[in-house]
Amino acid sequence: MDWHQQYIGKVKQAVFHTHKTGRKRVVASTEQNVIATLDLRSGEIFWRHVLGPNDVVDGIDIALGKYVITLSSGGSILRTWNLPDGQMVWESSLHGPKHSKSLLLTTNLIIEKDNVFIVFSNGRLNAVSCINGEVLWKKDFEEESLEVQQVIQPPGSGFIYVVGFAASSQFEMYRINAKNGELLKHESTAFSGRFSGELSLVSSETVVALDSTGSILLTISFHNGKISSQQTPVSNLLEDSPGLAVIIHSSVTGIFAIKTDAATIFIRVIGEGKLEVVEKTNHETVVSDALSISEGQQAFALVQHAGSNIHLTVKPAHDWDSNLLKESIKMDRQRGFVHKVFINNYIRTDRSHGFRALIVMEDHSLLLLQQGAIVWSREDGLASIIDVTTSELPVEKAGVSVAKVELNLFEWLKGHVLKLKGTLMLATPEDIAAVQYMRLKSSEKSKMTRDHNGFRKLLIALTRAGKLFALHTGDGRIVWSHLLQSLHKSESCRQPIGLNLYQWQVPHHHALDENPSVLVVGRCGPSSDALGVLSLVDSYTGKEFSSFSLVHSVAQVIPLPYTDSTEQRLHLLIDADKHAHLYPKTPEAIDIFQSEFSNVYWYSVDDDNGIIKGYALKSKCSGNVADEFCFDSRELWSIVLPSESEKIITTATRKLNEAVHTQAKLIADQDVMYKYISSNLLFLATVAPKASGDIGSVTPEESWLVVYLIDTVTGRVLHRMTHHGSQGPVQAVLSENWVVYHYFNLRAHRYEMSVIEIYDQSRADNKDVWKLVVGDHNLTSPVSSYSRAEVITKSQSYFFTHSLKAIVVTLTVKGITSKQLLIGTIGDQVLALDKRFLDPRRSVNPPQAEREEGIIPLTDSLPIIPQSYITHSLRVEGLQSIITVAAKLESTTLVFAHGLDLFFTHYAPSRTYDSLTEDFSYALLLITIVVLVAAIFVTWILSQRKELQDRWR
């Protein structure tokens, strides 16, 4: 049931490659720093490269029809890739005197038989060879106040214009010799106000810009190196469209657009800076860049929304009133608005121009439109998942009609006959296609009902675009998707951000009548004091049946272990002022909560100030008398770390749904050690403030790593340990009574993993085995964080060769299989490591009793076994998180890893020795049984005949 899906993320730039020779493709760069080429026929990935998190792509283009050019890292790195296979041809580093905007200009310029790119970055203009990346000439622009906005080469000219602002109030124009970088002319003009935003290019010698107030539009020409400007009040153009005006950037010659909250205005530049409004629309409008369709003729595309349709219009740049193409395409509302559009042309059989459009939607999906239809679509929003939870599928209802049984029996027999023909090499292509269709239709793994092993579930994923997806664990298909209205930009919520997913209702007693649902928590802005938003979504249908705009912020969400009569789970939402708000807001919920009022505790971690605080509920909110679901909190304890020596970098807690199969551990000498089991345990890691940067930024003497185990009810520090000469980043997982964490040892120049196990010494005297087995001991012992338990710890450290991105522990419902650590490596793979390798009791020569117990002899490093990669040869590019979910089958866990890619598999450390695999051929088994029975019957008859003949002799 393994599946692997590849994505590229939200596209921000795209260039078509549609030469007659070779396969047609589109080259794209994304917000996730991916460069990829896609098949223009199907949307499948030909090749892709994932750059580093700081290697942001600034520009892409295609040169000479066979090279992809990319500019990244703030204009510091220029690369050339081979278009057919994605192999890097060369890489060039471009440095300069100061940080600046990065601009890539591919030209027809040839210097000494060498094609040249023009790159402006880091305050320097460079001419770079297309053959080997050598910088042929460079020109510095060192003036601190200068902000270069555009680099322009007029068609057929031998010079380059560099234009921008100086001190935000002066327009600067430089004319540069394209052959050698020599400065030919420098002109400037001052403006009484200040420029706002960026310059927009409307021709090779004309730009437009807005002033800082957004009330004046400036048209600036620099024909033949002479600057002339004209000011036009925006109110003259936008008489009845109030709101802040913004220029929509496009490269269409002679035309630009201005957008306000109410309308989009298209303006033509006539003659010496005169402006003429050609169209005004109240629909949401997106404009493409200009496309050259013939010599001296350009076209561009407009995409407008109208209900459930989008209108695609392609116009020639020189004639606004005529249309080269006008189409209406029905679009799923769950994709939202169009964010970007890129167009490409082709020649039809009648020699007229046809157009195709690549559009990027609000949900980050990518679609290709051609001839009024969607040719293909990609759900690239799944490359930016924020949070994931799971949901059970519906229960298979009993009672099936006789007709349906007969039909299923007929289909079953037909399928096995076709499979038998295929096995005997007698099947026709139609038979093979029918078998594949029937296999897909009747596949157990893709059914929309629960299975007895608990393998079939829904993965509910929240993406950065504010869209929910439900993925079937059987085959990874999208069951439903929904663009949340609560996370949609609006007047009341200008910058909605999705935060987390929680299970809201999980029906057990009413599984046949009630659908499960999830809670989506978000807020209207990046700050923790921004107002919160909530959505409740049906897990089976994706319907958003309720949403709330809260009057308080959401700093923390606490799922409580209580449910009401409808099996809705109670949640506490903590705001920035530490008030607790109870949801759902029902009388039954408040009654349940009041009965458990004194048992509710929580904590907060202030990373910046190094403070950990514990809280309990006090009383109903004093300032909100009318809100009976709001409660004040009281501070119980606080831990203030010394800011000059410790900075918090990592915390970890136990999973709420983790099952602990035994509280005791039997060791080699038949002694019993009791695990310290507490859901209130917090692991905290701090480093020296100087060591909070990248690895190697400090010396071993200046760096240390301190780890804590803290009881979050009492604030008691149960354990503290210091690793001198060590540094983060720290990845940690806390399970049962142990924690494993990963860090870098500066002294040894290697990564390390350490384990701490914590045991309850106060129960050491109570070792009545019968009480432990029967359960009386567990029932009679009080469990309270205030009963000051005496604890002991055991710890050990090991070298580990890999850097980690994530670390989790396998979850199982039942079974005696040892825990496994699932490790996300720097190579974007998932490695399974047996917890026994991280046993702190390991020694170089363990006695025979410990060997029988399963203690592995000590080595200085942890083994990496190639067969332990559960992703096999696959990579989960940009791996961000690993989620484990317990299955019903003994000692089996479901594993979902996501980043740019998605990967899902089952993992059973003890192998599935007691169950058949999903691809087991029951037909072959049936045929074998029939053949064996027939062979036994035939041999019995032959044996009887032979015996009879022998007797007659």
Side-chain angles (χ1 to χ4, degrees), residues 66 110 137 238 321 331 416 472 515 643 671 846 885-886 944:
K66 58 181 180 179
I110 298 177
W137 58 258
L238 310 173
D321 296 328
M331 187 64 62
H416 283 296
H472 196 293
N515 290 358
S643 58
D671 196 8
V885 182
Q944 291 290 325

Side-chain angles (χ1 to χ4, degrees), residues 769-781:
V769 176
W770 285 110
K771 285 186 178 180
L772 184 65
V773 171
V774 174
D776 289 344
H777 173 78
N778 295 340
L779 293 173
T780 56
S781 287

Side-chain angles (χ1 to χ4, degrees), residues 184-222:
L184 301 177
K185 196 170 188 179
H186 174 212
E187 295 283 339
S188 63
T189 183
F191 173 60
S192 57
R194 296 174 67 87
F195 292 103
S196 172
E198 299 180 352
L199 289 172
S200 182
L201 189 68
V202 293
S203 75
S204 59
E205 294 180 330
T206 305
V207 294
V208 294
L210 285 165
D211 74 337
S212 57
T213 64
S215 60
I216 297 176
L217 188 64
L218 292 99
T219 309
I220 306 171
S221 298
F222 38 91

Side-chain angles (χ1 to χ4, degrees), residues 693-744:
D694 295 332
I695 292 174
S697 58
V698 292
T699 63
E701 291 73 21
E702 296 176 307
S703 179
W704 52 84
L705 170 69
V706 185
V707 298
Y708 298 84
L709 290 175
I710 302 171
D711 187 305
T712 57
V713 173
T714 62
R716 179 188 173 195
V717 176
L718 300 172
H719 182 68
R720 181 181 186 273
M721 185 164 63
T722 303
H723 299 272
H724 293 284
S726 297
Q727 189 179 3
V730 174
Q731 298 286 345
V733 59
L734 178 60
S735 176
E736 294 192 354
N737 68 317
W738 52 264
V739 61
V740 172
Y741 53 100
H742 174 276
Y743 55 94
F744 190 78

Side-chain angles (χ1 to χ4, degrees), residues 427-649:
T428 64
E430 291 77 12
D431 291 339
I432 295 173
V435 169
Q436 291 176 343
Y437 173 75
M438 293 175 69
R439 184 177 296 165
L440 182 66
K441 183 180 176 182
S442 63
S443 175
E444 285 289 324
K445 68 180 183 181
S446 60
K447 283 186 175 180
M448 282 298 295
T449 55
R450 301 180 192 182
D451 62 310
H452 64 279
N453 287 328
F455 290 166
R456 292 197 299 263
K457 296 180 186 292
L458 288 179
L459 294 168
I460 313 294
L462 173 65
T463 68
R464 189 161 52 88
K467 190 172 187 178
L468 270 185
F469 288 88
L471 306 176
H472 196 293
T473 57
D475 51 11
R477 74 182 186 276
I478 297 173
V479 178
W480 56 259
S481 60
H482 182 77
L483 192 64
L484 296 170
Q485 288 301 312
S486 60
L487 297 180
H488 189 75
K489 186 177 178 181
S490 63
E491 289 289 335
S492 59
C493 192
R494 289 286 184 176
Q495 196 177 356
I497 297 173
L499 296 178
N500 293 104
L501 282 173
Y502 300 92
Q503 292 184 342
W504 178 257
Q505 186 178 17
V506 184
H508 295 291
H509 305 295
H510 308 283
L512 293 173
D513 307 317
E514 297 283 347
N515 290 358
S517 56
V518 294
L519 170 68
V520 185
V521 181
R523 60 179 172 226
C524 296
S527 63
S528 60
D529 58 353
L531 296 181
V533 291
L534 302 180
S535 285
L536 298 177
V537 180
D538 190 306
S539 297
Y540 290 168
T541 64
K543 180 182 177 182
E544 186 176 6
F545 59 85
S546 185
S547 62
F548 313 96
S549 294
L550 307 181
V551 294
H552 58 81
S553 59
V554 179
Q556 196 174 348
V557 180
I558 304 173
L560 298 174
Y562 318 122
T563 58
D564 61 15
S565 58
T566 62
E567 297 180 275
Q568 290 185 122
R569 171 166 284 198
L570 276 59
H571 290 72
L572 269 188
L573 273 60
I574 312 300
D575 63 23
D577 298 323
K578 303 305 176 188
H579 293 130
H581 302 266
L582 178 66
Y583 290 87
K585 292 189 173 186
T586 61
E588 183 185 5
I590 197 71
D591 290 341
I592 296 170
F593 186 68
Q594 291 283 10
S595 65
E596 300 290 344
F597 191 84
S598 60
N599 295 326
V600 177
Y601 300 86
W602 75 92
Y603 68 94
S604 66
V605 179
D606 186 347
D607 296 345
D608 296 330
N609 298 313
I611 301 174
I612 310 100
K613 293 183 178 180
Y615 300 91
L617 295 172
K618 183 180 178 182
S619 59
K620 290 187 178 180
C621 293
S622 54
N624 298 282
V625 180
D627 189 358
E628 61 175 329
F629 301 95
C630 175
F631 301 89
D632 283 330
S633 63
R634 56 191 174 95
E635 184 180 318
L636 296 177
W637 55 266
S638 65
I639 299 174
V640 182
L641 301 174
S643 58
E644 65 278 0
S645 61
E646 294 187 49
K647 178 177 175 58
I648 299 173
I649 57 169

Side-chain angles (χ1 to χ4, degrees), residues 665 676 681-685 705-710 718-723 732-743 753-759 791-798 835 838-841:
K665 184 174 183 179
Y676 182 82
L681 199 61
L682 170 69
F683 170 81
L684 180 77
L705 170 69
V706 185
V707 298
Y708 298 84
L709 290 175
I710 302 171
L718 300 172
H719 182 68
R720 181 181 186 273
M721 185 164 63
T722 303
H723 299 272
V733 59
L734 178 60
S735 176
E736 294 192 354
N737 68 317
W738 52 264
V739 61
V740 172
Y741 53 100
H742 174 276
Y743 55 94
M753 290 182 75
S754 293
V755 57
I756 301 173
E757 292 187 355
I758 183 168
Y759 294 93
V791 298
I792 60 170
T793 59
K794 295 179 180 294
S795 60
Q796 184 65 273
S797 296
Y798 305 90
K835 168 62 174 62
L838 285 154
D839 193 325
R841 296 167 55 216

Side-chain angles (χ1 to χ4, degrees), residues 13 66 123 175-176 201 229 274 327 423 500 520 562 570 683 691 733 746 783 804 806 826 895 897:
Q13 292 174 289
K66 58 181 180 179
R175 191 173 179 177
I176 307 294
L201 189 68
S229 64
K274 293 182 181 179
E327 295 176 342
T423 305
N500 293 104
V520 185
Y562 318 122
L570 276 59
F683 170 81
V733 59
L746 289 169
V783 179
L804 302 191
I826 196 69
V895 182

